[in-house]
Amino acid sequence: MSSIATKIPTRSLYRLFAATPLSRAAALSTATAEIRTQKLERIADELLDLTKLERHDYAILFRLKMGLDRYGPVVSAPGPAAAAGSGEAAAGEAKAAEKTAFDVKLEKFEAAAKIKIIKEVRSFTDLGLKEAKDLVEKAPVVLKKGVSKEEAGPIIEKLKELGATVVLE
């Protein structure tokens, strides 16, 4: 057997193993991985070049595109086939379904307590000072969407203590 191994030159063996489909696939996957890495680095660099406000907008857009709305799951609107059904049956089903997600709405507030209300709004949302101030000044406005009754209770109580009129919709 040793005579057979000595008759085949090592260069031929190397070419034989180097030309296998497995090595081509490995080379191709390495090139693909390198392209992916370059693409990810380019995306990361572009994200780092964004301003703080643009990054915030991008984060919201990304969550929405991924279906990860922070106020609850994204609910798609019924299609035309569902809308074409009988209106009475749909109304009956809507009444039968118990509401589990609520919106906390700020109706009005006392002017003297405006700063305290803004601070409280910032505590249960992740808004900055300016965004929270703008939101409070737009009253009546929905402060938080899609919260459970248990989660909304403390928020409503705290805002009512501060002199705001808050409703659960």
Side-chain angles (χ1 to χ4, degrees), residues 8-25:
I8 300 173
T10 55
R11 284 186 181 166
S12 299
L13 286 174
Y14 178 73
R15 287 183 191 149
L16 176 68
F17 290 119
T20 61
L22 181 61
S23 65
R24 284 187 215 142

Side-chain angles (χ1 to χ4, degrees), residues 72-129:
V74 177
V75 179
S76 62
S86 69
E88 295 174 5
E93 289 176 22
K95 288 180 183 176
E98 189 175 327
K99 190 171 182 179
T100 58
F102 299 92
D103 297 340
V104 177
K105 184 175 183 180
L106 175 67
E107 290 290 327
K108 58 184 177 178
F109 59 91
E110 295 176 12
K114 181 178 175 181
I115 294 173
K116 293 177 185 176
I117 292 171
I118 291 171
K119 287 180 182 180
E120 186 60 29
V121 167
R122 285 189 66 205
S123 72
F124 64 84
T125 61
D126 61 348
L127 297 175
L129 182 61

